[in-house]
Amino acid sequence: MNPSTDAVPRLTSLSHGGGCGCKIAPGVLSEILRCSPGLPIPAQLLVGIETSDDAAVWKLNDSQALVATTDFFMPIVDDPHDFGRIAATNAISDVYAMGGTPIFALAIVGMPINVLPIETIGRILAGGQAACAAAGIPIAGGHTIDSVEPIYGLVVLGLVHPDKLRKNSAARAGDVLVLGKPLGVGIYSAALKKENLSAEHYTQMVNVATQLNTPGPALAELAGVHALTDVTGFGLAGHALELCRGAGVEGHVSMAGVPLLPGVFELAQAGNITGASGRNWTSYGKDVHLDASISEVQKALLSDPQTSGGLLVSCAPDSVDAVLATFRDHGFGTAARIGEIKAASGQPGLVIHA
């Protein structure tokens, strides 16, 4: 029986964790993958799981490589259409983060059929279709199951020229770090669950989480752009650390330069922090080093899980202006220089300055 629309529960009340905050913590994920048997790597597989990159890439020929990724999660917001849009935007981002252009998607749908009305589920799917339409791609199929918690996401396929592919492991000493979107979506979502988020901040959260990372292919055209990734569930510190570990370098991030969503600092001060933030921080281990003046709130901002977060770019210093101009041309007005890459003096890692 289809449940009554008069008794529809809040979507966020049906999920134990929302958005990219549902991700398994990076340290636990590393342990799981370590237990997986190693297999021969075909020459055509240009990117696999070795450096926790954003997508797999398979070389088709000298001018084309296939980019393949999947991403799905439980609700981060209560509005079904917004949830679908955010989940789809987040999934598509991984293709952009490789410098690729998406070509089509498959839907991943798990819904508690006896809890949510068909109309609500339909609005979730319509939101995903809206995001795909904005990216210029069709949803060409998918798979559905009856599940305990609502789950929605996409498999996304894209194309990239093998010479334009941008990995998360190619940063170079001397590079500058640029971040495309402000931080704080996880803190906004925690405040929403506690009914502490204003209507204005909710609108800002949806706007930033549904902004497609379309600068990716244009950034990959810049010779000075050496590495790309997107900042999602592991937080800025986690994804920057992956970038540094993959390249064997030491990243330096200045908190003063990191863009934040309006009111996020105050919301974090008031205790609106996700459980994933603490799990993330524990997983970083000793490879993230903090200035003594970094506060607990700043630590929470660094590990805040970003759902559909911004692109993180490692580029040559003389390319910074072109990188920022590319972001601005695509509507990313808050993109900012946040740090630099240095040669590692020991173990690759990340240093956070005030």
Side-chain angles (χ1 to χ4, degrees), residues 13-40:
S13 72
L14 299 176
S15 60
H16 73 277
C20 285
C22 302
K23 273 187 167 182
I24 295 174
V28 177
L29 181 59
S30 295
E31 288 297 318
I32 293 171
L33 293 176
R34 194 173 291 123
C35 298
S36 301
L39 296 172

Side-chain angles (χ1 to χ4, degrees), residues 285-352:
K286 298 180 179 179
D287 292 339
V288 178
H289 308 276
L290 302 173
D291 279 359
S293 58
I294 297 294
S295 68
E296 290 300 312
V297 170
Q298 288 173 318
K299 285 180 63 177
L301 291 167
L302 288 163
S303 59
D304 187 47
Q306 301 305 291
T307 299
S308 191
L311 295 175
L312 180 63
V313 184
S314 182
C315 65
D318 59 6
S319 295
V320 173
D321 288 344
V323 167
L324 290 172
T326 300
F327 274 119
R328 286 194 297 271
D329 288 347
H330 286 256
F332 291 74
T334 61
R337 175 176 178 161
I338 65 166
E340 59 186 342
I341 298 292
K342 296 182 179 180
S345 54
Q347 179 97 354
L350 186 66
V351 180
I352 310 296

Side-chain angles (χ1 to χ4, degrees), residues 48 106 113 132 230 233 258 311 314:
L106 306 173
I113 298 300
C132 287
D230 60 353
V258 175
L311 295 175
S314 182

Side-chain angles (χ1 to χ4, degrees), residues 2-352:
N2 186 28
S4 167
T5 55
D6 295 331
V8 180
R10 293 178 62 190
L11 285 179
T12 54
S13 72
L14 299 176
S15 60
H16 73 277
C20 285
C22 302
K23 273 187 167 182
I24 295 174
V28 177
L29 181 59
S30 295
E31 288 297 318
I32 293 171
L33 293 176
R34 194 173 291 123
C35 298
S36 301
L39 296 172
I41 299 175
Q44 299 96 322
L45 186 62
L46 303 182
V47 179
I49 65 172
E50 297 77 26
T51 62
S52 303
D53 218 324
D54 298 295
V57 182
W58 183 272
K59 185 175 180 179
L60 299 172
N61 51 55
D62 289 342
S63 62
Q64 290 179 312
L66 182 68
V67 184
T69 184
T70 184
D71 216 314
F72 52 89
F73 46 63
M74 281 82 83
I76 187 174
V77 294
D78 293 315
D79 183 273
H81 194 266
D82 287 344
F83 169 43
R85 288 175 64 209
I86 291 169
T89 303
N90 179 74
I92 297 167
S93 179
D94 286 338
V95 173
Y96 292 131
M98 305 304 298
T101 299
I103 53 175
F104 72 89
L106 306 173
I108 299 170
V109 184
M111 293 291 155
I113 298 300
N114 292 327
V115 176
L116 289 178
I118 297 300
E119 294 80 2
T120 297
I121 298 171
R123 289 183 63 202
I124 294 171
L125 271 58
Q129 290 171 335
C132 287
I137 62 172
I139 295 179
H143 186 66
T144 60
I145 63 168
D146 186 357
S147 64
V148 176
E149 294 180 280
I151 297 169
Y152 181 72
L154 300 175
V155 173
V156 188
L157 299 178
L159 292 173
V160 66
H161 192 291
D163 295 341
K164 303 299 182 183
L165 171 65
R166 291 295 181 266
K167 304 178 184 180
N168 71 347
S169 57
R172 303 178 187 176
D175 277 359
V176 171
L177 293 172
V178 177
L179 180 63
K181 287 186 183 182
L183 301 183
V185 169
I187 289 165
Y188 271 6
S189 68
L192 179 67
K193 270 202 164 186
K194 297 178 181 179
E195 300 186 345
N196 292 333
L197 192 69
S198 69
E200 179 184 1
H201 287 161
Y202 177 82
T203 298
Q204 289 166 330
M205 177 174 72
V206 172
N207 287 344
V208 75
T210 57
Q211 187 176 21
L212 291 161
N213 277 321
T214 52
L219 291 168
E221 292 286 339
L222 301 174
V225 170
H226 300 139
L228 271 178
T229 190
D230 60 353
V231 176
T232 54
F234 300 155
L236 173 61
H239 291 283
L241 181 58
E242 285 180 342
L243 183 147
C244 293
R245 284 172 172 165
V249 296
E250 185 175 274
H252 290 256
V253 169
S254 170
M255 282 300 301
V258 175
L260 301 176
L261 285 165
V264 156
F265 194 89
E266 292 75 17
L267 285 168
Q269 275 185 318
N272 297 286
I273 296 170
T274 71
S277 181
R279 294 194 297 274
N280 279 344
W281 199 263
T282 299
S283 293
Y284 303 155
K286 298 180 179 179
D287 292 339
V288 178
H289 308 276
L290 302 173
D291 279 359
S293 58
I294 297 294
S295 68
E296 290 300 312
V297 170
Q298 288 173 318
K299 285 180 63 177
L301 291 167
L302 288 163
S303 59
D304 187 47
Q306 301 305 291
T307 299
S308 191
L311 295 175
L312 180 63
V313 184
S314 182
C315 65
D318 59 6
S319 295
V320 173
D321 288 344
V323 167
L324 290 172
T326 300
F327 274 119
R328 286 194 297 271
D329 288 347
H330 286 256
F332 291 74
T334 61
R337 175 176 178 161
I338 65 166
E340 59 186 342
I341 298 292
K342 296 182 179 180
S345 54
Q347 179 97 354
L350 186 66
V351 180
I352 310 296

